[in-house]
Amino acid sequence: QDVFNMVVEVPRWTNAKMEIATKDPLNPIKQDVKKGKLRFVANVFPHKGYIWNYGAIPQTWEDPGHQDEHTGCCGDNDPIDVCEIGSKVCSRGEVIKVKVLGTLALIDEGETDWKVIAINVEDPEADSYNDISDVRRLKPGYLEATVDWFRRYKVPDGKPENQFAFGGEFKDKDFAISVIRSTHEHWKALVAKKADGGEINCTNLTVSDSPFCCSQECAKATVEAAPPCKAANPIPPE
């Protein structure tokens, strides 16, 4: 049905750079840290925080050892990213079903970083969206804002503007799904130990033929050993 699960890492309009911690056991969602400081994405006029619900499709991996045939760059070593454009502001950690509409190929510091555009299947308008052209027609300016956001979001940190493959053009649904399927094959090789994941922690409960598969008891002990969550740090004034 071309419907995929999405793990929400960053709810729309928020700034904390939360992401699936691929190097930690069971891959919890944690705030990114750069140079010892918690990482926040700055507001870049006219945008406020992230302009969609942002997250990832589990069981995908952008292999840093694989050169993408379309972009000429290797993968960024993470699950494939999703921008969910529905009307609901999701919660961090929520798992939602999304309909894939298209994709944008960001080149982030020389790495291929696909951004899949999708909509929550439970969105009241989901039936009206079937391909990337529907987003352009029904949400005018949203795709242009998405390119602008990804181009400039690191500039406040002193970095240059990001680049895109295909001149920043969005590819359609079929293209996006082929990319997802390709990254799913890379993930299967990763959890089967047929590809070198480096520091990625592949401990899992559900892939029974994976050498990294662990028991429910082992997973429970891992979760219980983690330090308790504390109150969120305030967003830095700058």
Side-chain angles (χ1 to χ4, degrees):
Q1 297 174 7
D2 299 331
V3 169
F4 297 85
N5 287 312
M6 169 188 174
V7 177
V8 178
E9 297 166 305
V10 186
R12 185 191 283 115
W13 313 136
T14 65
N15 299 74
K17 182 81 173 75
M18 309 296 294
E19 53 189 27
I20 294 169
T22 56
K23 295 172 185 174
D24 291 13
L26 302 180
N27 311 137
I29 296 173
K30 290 171 65 174
Q31 190 164 357
D32 194 19
V33 175
K34 280 276 167 78
K35 296 178 182 172
K37 287 185 173 180
L38 290 173
R39 193 168 159 211
F40 294 88
V41 167
N43 296 323
V44 179
F45 183 84
H47 312 303
K48 166 71 177 79
Y50 286 68
I51 62 172
W52 349 254
N53 294 300
Y54 189 72
I57 297 179
Q59 300 193 358
T60 60
W61 179 46
E62 296 198 55
D63 183 353
H66 172 77
Q67 186 177 36
D68 188 278
E69 60 178 311
H70 304 290
T71 66
C73 298
C74 293
D76 72 345
N77 206 29
D78 278 328
I80 202 164
D81 297 316
V82 188
C83 304
E84 191 280 315
I85 64 167
S87 55
K88 177 189 169 191
V89 176
C90 293
S91 304
R92 183 176 301 126
E94 198 174 345
V95 179
I96 60 172
K97 286 184 166 57
V98 296
K99 183 162 41 165
V100 168
L101 304 172
T103 188
L104 177 69
L106 177 67
I107 307 299
D108 190 351
E109 298 180 27
E111 296 174 332
T112 303
D113 191 3
W114 293 102
K115 306 297 181 187
V116 172
I117 308 300
I119 189 164
N120 190 336
V121 296
E122 294 183 0
D123 190 272
E125 297 182 348
D127 289 347
S128 302
Y129 290 86
N130 296 297
D131 213 323
I132 200 71
S133 56
D134 296 322
V135 184
R136 191 167 279 113
R137 181 170 56 86
L138 297 168
K139 289 185 184 283
Y142 205 178
L143 295 180
E144 292 80 0
T146 295
V147 172
D148 182 61
W149 195 96
F150 280 118
R151 178 177 283 124
R152 298 194 293 140
Y153 81 104
K154 288 187 175 180
V155 171
D157 298 332
K159 294 191 172 176
E161 290 187 350
N162 278 322
Q163 305 299 310
F164 303 90
F166 315 116
E169 284 297 310
F170 287 82
K171 293 293 183 180
D172 65 12
K173 176 184 88 168
D174 291 343
F175 187 101
I177 287 168
S178 73
V179 170
I180 293 167
R181 295 204 188 288
S182 163
T183 57
H184 177 60
E185 292 303 316
H186 292 151
W187 171 84
K188 285 203 284 195
L190 175 69
V191 294
K193 219 172 182 177
K194 291 176 182 169
D196 180 13
E199 296 179 10
I200 291 181
N201 191 308
C202 297
T203 303
N204 67 83
L205 284 82
T206 55
V207 190
S208 55
D209 56 351
S210 164
F212 305 103
C213 195
C214 76
S215 67
Q216 189 81 38
E217 291 71 29
C218 156
K220 191 166 184 277
T222 301
V223 172
E224 287 172 351
C229 282
K230 297 179 181 171
N233 277 27
I235 294 179
E238 71 274 14

